[in-house]
Amino acid sequence: MKQKIQLFRESLKLVWQSAPGWATANAILSVVRSIMPLLLLWLLRNVIDGITGSASSAVTADNTILPIIALVFVWFLDETLSDAGIYIRKKQSVRFEAYMYDLLHSKASRLDLINFEHPEYFDCLSRATREATWRPNNILNNLISISGSLLSLLLISGLIITLNWIPAVLLIAANVPGIWMRLHYAEVLYNVHREQTPEARKSAYFNWLLTGDRPAREIRLFGLGDHFRRLFRESFMKQKQEELQIIRKRTLIGFISDLVKASAFLFTLLLIAKLTAEHKITLGEMAMFLVAFRQGMVYIKEFFSSLSDLYEDGLFLGDIFEFLNLKEYVIAHEPVIMPAPLLRDLVAENLSFSYPGNSRKAVDNISFGLRRGEILAIVGPNGSGKSTLAKLICRLYDPECGSIRYDDIDIRNFDPALYRRNVSVIFQDFMLYNMTAGDNIRMGDISNAADQARIKQAADVTGIGKLIEQLPDRYETQIGNLFDDSRELSWGEWQKMALARALYRNAPVLILDEPSSSLDAETEYEIFRRFREIVKGRTAVLISHRFMNVSLADRIIVMDRGKIAETGSHEELMSLRGLYHSMFMKQTSRFER
């Protein structure tokens, strides 16, 4: 309970920070509207008694005009405040939703990349994104609803007690079974939803396979549509079946609860009918008490419903703060130093790293140096650790042991975001941004205003500039296939765009991971013919399976099973007649044949 109260406090703090003015207006409006029902009932009694009095004594009905006008005015005011309340709650909800999305996006973009290697992280993210944008705001609305319903209920109960205390007690007692049921099954359903998170993600994955653009070709080519439809249906029904069984039980118990409330209402009707028949209350008072009891049932239902919703919200709050409180480990270590452009060298010392759940090290006790202005090529079989090494240099991961020193400073002493400004990368699985051609290149460096000359220069170097010049709006043309008036690119053209993005970033260290895998032969030849001119003034790391390209490097590291097997220039490695020589000869002999 102490933990739940703390979570409630944190949630209300988030709501207040997102829109303090609208939250205050919401609360004040709720209090004002809570008084309206009692005022309406009192005016209704006066109107009915005025009308019946006029009818029985044959007196003019002019005396009832003022109460009728007052009743209509208060009703109009209540309706107007209700409409205003809808707008205020929506305005507050939108502000809060935007605020929470910003918190989630900020956290997700800062979290260590290693999190994406854990299935548990995706479960945590799924639960948080499902609840975070509305649960805390729902807590405030439920608290306001509880306060308003309680105030209305107390006023209505006070009115009913003036008639008889028994209906007032029945009003509360008849709703006890319902609140117990809501509280009990709220926790049961929460546990089911939490346990079903992995299955829900599986359903979402099958849904993406059936509806996404990337899988669309193979789904049709291999006729996989019916297969994945069946898998989605099985996964979806598996997670929903248990939930439906619980709701079925809750519904059956709800019938019993409704029967108890109907019995209480029946008793009250009989009591009021008896008192009216005995002339102990007027017709206006009869109408007032009947409506009051019915409204009391509504308010107590709202009160208990909001109370159980509040309890349910408390169960889900832990999922939100579980994600927001995930710890970040790739941070600046003391003493924190401001990074500067590379002056001397980048040195890796005894680096080791393994992915979660993998007993074999992806990088195993590696040491090497990279001098300023040097072109270093890294080659090796698939799975030898080349791309992992690139990610360690970028400090997307921290090594389990060993260090990387940047001008003799451990990169862990730099703020990661500031350090990464000194590194530009094109990964194998580069991003395709459905934005304008110019913005696609500019994504390499958004820290400053767009430099159109540099954007054009980067595009021309990679060969994508000619294509962009032929587009309808040139660099302002939307590319991709998600939005209207866009132009789709081939995979090779996308790779040129990604390479231009990496070159646009004015970083002293440039890492190219398979930068030409999808380029046509002419573009690849032209880029690597001018490679030293392109990377002039930068320290470059080239990861490639194409040995004709890596032969231009000053030095080559050959990796195998996470270790450095050989190192040297192209000529030195060929003379060793080892792993590099074997791979080079197999590749070149294939072309010769």
Side-chain angles (χ1 to χ4, degrees):
M1 182 57 70
K2 185 178 179 181
Q3 184 182 12
K4 279 188 174 62
I5 291 172
Q6 181 61 31
L7 289 174
F8 282 139
R9 284 179 186 159
E10 293 297 323
S11 298
L12 292 174
K13 189 187 296 183
L14 291 176
V15 174
W16 179 260
Q17 289 169 347
S18 66
W22 292 107
T24 303
N26 191 3
I28 292 173
L29 193 64
S30 176
V31 172
V32 172
R33 288 203 64 220
S34 299
I35 303 169
M36 291 295 180
L38 187 66
L39 189 56
L40 283 168
L41 286 173
W42 181 75
L43 289 170
L44 179 64
R45 186 202 68 175
N46 290 345
V47 168
I48 293 174
D49 283 346
I51 292 171
T52 54
S54 299
S56 62
S57 59
V59 179
T60 178
D62 292 345
N63 294 336
T64 62
I65 292 176
L66 192 60
I68 288 174
I69 293 173
L71 178 64
V72 171
F73 175 77
V74 173
W75 174 84
F76 170 75
L77 185 61
D78 188 44
E79 290 294 305
T80 303
L81 291 176
S82 175
D83 293 337
I86 292 171
Y87 173 75
I88 288 171
R89 283 192 296 275
K90 185 62 179 177
K91 186 79 175 180
Q92 179 200 341
S93 175
V94 169
R95 288 280 189 90
F96 177 76
E97 192 172 355
Y99 181 78
M100 287 306 297
Y101 270 125
D102 189 54
L103 276 184
L104 289 172
H105 294 162
S106 175
K107 185 66 176 180
S109 62
R110 292 196 320 269
L111 279 172
D112 306 342
L113 196 65
I114 197 69
N115 284 293
F116 293 88
E117 309 293 338
H118 295 277
E120 295 85 358
Y121 167 76
F122 293 103
D123 290 343
C124 179
L125 176 62
S126 176
R127 288 192 295 266
T129 52
R130 187 175 61 206
E131 311 294 341
T133 57
W134 65 279
R135 283 284 178 190
N137 195 54
N138 207 46
I139 285 175
L140 177 65
N141 287 332
N142 279 324
L143 284 173
I144 290 172
S145 177
I146 287 171
S147 302
S149 299
L150 184 59
L151 180 57
S152 296
L153 182 62
L154 289 173
L155 293 172
I156 292 291
S157 297
L159 180 64
I160 294 172
I161 288 173
T162 62
L163 171 69
N164 193 296
W165 63 270
I166 297 177
V169 172
L170 286 176
L171 184 64
I172 297 172
N175 285 274
V176 170
I179 183 58
W180 172 86
M181 179 191 67
R182 290 288 299 269
L183 294 175
H184 173 71
Y185 282 104
E187 187 159 5
V188 172
L189 282 171
Y190 165 76
N191 291 329
V192 168
H193 285 147
R194 187 176 178 87
E195 290 167 5
Q196 292 287 358
T197 301
E199 196 65 43
R201 287 200 301 110
K202 188 184 291 185
S203 299
Y205 173 66
F206 291 139
N207 180 62
W208 173 75
L209 288 175
L210 288 162
T211 59
D213 61 329
R214 191 170 176 183
R217 290 163 294 183
E218 287 199 9
I219 294 292
R220 285 152 182 77
L221 180 64
F222 297 129
L224 300 174
D226 289 342
H227 176 67
F228 284 124
R229 281 171 56 208
R230 179 178 59 80
L231 291 177
F232 171 82
R233 189 165 53 249
E234 289 174 357
S235 178
F236 181 79
M237 292 309 298
K238 181 180 178 182
Q239 60 172 306
K240 295 299 179 183
Q241 201 62 43
E242 190 173 356
E243 181 181 346
L244 287 172
Q245 289 174 358
I246 292 168
I247 293 174
R248 179 173 170 272
K249 291 179 183 177
R250 188 178 70 179
T251 304
L252 291 174
I253 297 174
F255 287 149
I256 300 171
S257 174
D258 292 338
L259 185 61
V260 172
K261 287 189 281 187
S263 301
F265 192 40
L266 175 62
F267 174 84
T268 304
L269 281 172
L270 293 173
L271 177 63
I272 292 174
K274 179 176 179 294
L275 293 173
T276 306
E278 295 173 352
H279 302 289
K280 292 182 177 178
I281 57 175
T282 65
L283 287 175
E285 288 173 330
M286 178 194 76
M288 180 181 70
F289 287 126
L290 282 175
V291 175
F293 188 84
R294 178 60 188 144
Q295 281 298 107
M297 295 287 279
V298 171
Y299 292 132
I300 200 165
K301 183 178 180 179
E302 286 180 0
F303 173 77
F304 283 137
S305 178
S306 298
L307 192 63
S308 62
D309 286 345
L310 189 66
Y311 179 75
E312 182 179 323
D313 292 334
L315 295 172
F316 284 95
L317 281 178
D319 296 333
I320 301 169
F321 289 101
E322 179 187 3
F323 177 77
L324 292 178
N325 294 330
L326 282 175
K327 192 170 181 181
E328 297 161 34
Y329 295 96
V330 180
I331 56 175
H333 294 188
E334 296 292 341
V336 180
I337 300 169
M338 180 67 70
L342 188 68
L343 297 177
R344 295 186 301 278
D345 55 17
L346 189 73
V347 178
E349 298 176 345
N350 308 118
L351 281 185
S352 290
F353 176 82
S354 56
Y355 290 99
N358 198 331
S359 57
R360 185 175 73 82
K361 291 185 182 296
V363 171
D364 190 1
N365 198 31
I366 282 181
S367 297
F368 67 92
L370 177 61
R371 298 185 300 277
R372 179 178 178 270
E374 183 180 20
I375 299 176
L376 174 69
I378 304 176
V379 300
N382 288 333
S384 59
K386 305 184 297 298
S387 295
T388 302
L389 185 57
K391 291 170 185 174
L392 288 169
I393 294 173
C394 298
R395 211 191 165 200
L396 295 173
Y397 301 132
D398 273 343
E400 294 166 6
C401 60
S403 64
I404 297 175
R405 306 189 71 79
Y406 182 96
D407 280 340
D408 207 33
I409 301 171
D410 192 322
I411 63 172
R412 283 174 289 206
N413 293 122
F414 298 134
D415 178 280
L418 296 178
Y419 166 71
R420 290 171 193 146
R421 290 182 185 176
N422 291 286
V423 183
S424 186
V425 189
I426 173 174
F427 290 112
Q428 293 183 63
D429 51 347
F430 54 85
M431 274 299 300
L432 285 63
Y433 295 103
N434 283 263
M435 304 171 73
T436 66
D439 281 342
N440 251 277
I441 297 173
R442 186 182 167 238
M443 288 300 104
D445 183 9
I446 59 169
S447 57
N448 298 304
D451 187 330
Q452 298 302 328
R454 274 177 56 211
I455 290 174
K456 188 175 185 305
Q457 182 184 22
D460 290 341
V461 165
T462 61
I464 195 66
K466 292 180 182 178
L467 172 68
I468 294 175
E469 292 293 342
Q470 296 171 4
L471 296 175
D473 297 315
R474 301 172 65 199
Y475 285 85
E476 294 302 313
T477 304
Q478 189 84 23
I479 59 175
N481 59 5
L482 285 185
F483 306 113
D484 293 336
D485 301 323
S486 60
R487 160 73 154 81
E488 180 59 295
L489 304 182
S490 70
W491 191 252
E493 289 166 343
W494 274 115
Q495 187 163 43
K496 292 177 189 179
M497 191 72 74
L499 183 56
R501 183 161 59 241
L503 293 176
Y504 176 75
R505 189 177 182 87
N506 193 20
V509 179
L510 179 63
I511 300 175
L512 306 173
D513 189 356
E514 297 291 353
S516 61
S517 58
S518 300
L519 298 181
D520 58 81
E522 184 179 349
T523 303
E524 182 181 16
Y525 171 78
E526 183 61 28
I527 286 175
F528 282 97
R529 184 182 69 81
R530 301 173 47 238
F531 191 75
R532 286 191 176 276
E533 179 189 341
I534 291 170
V535 302
K536 185 178 180 180
R538 306 195 197 196
T539 305
V541 177
L542 174 61
I543 301 172
S544 180
H545 285 104
R546 303 195 185 191
F547 287 84
M548 296 304 293
N549 296 335
V550 301
S551 60
L552 59 80
D554 298 312
R555 192 157 45 93
I556 301 169
I557 289 177
V558 184
M559 293 189 67
D560 187 29
R561 298 175 180 269
K563 295 178 179 289
I564 293 180
E566 299 167 355
T567 184
S569 66
H570 171 72
E571 292 76 15
E572 290 169 345
L573 292 174
M574 290 300 290
S575 65
L576 286 176
R577 305 184 71 81
L579 180 60
Y580 180 84
H581 177 271
S582 173
M583 291 190 295
F584 184 87
M585 294 306 295
K586 286 177 182 176
Q587 191 174 98
T588 53
S589 63
R590 184 174 73 249
F591 291 128
E592 288 171 3
R593 287 198 296 272

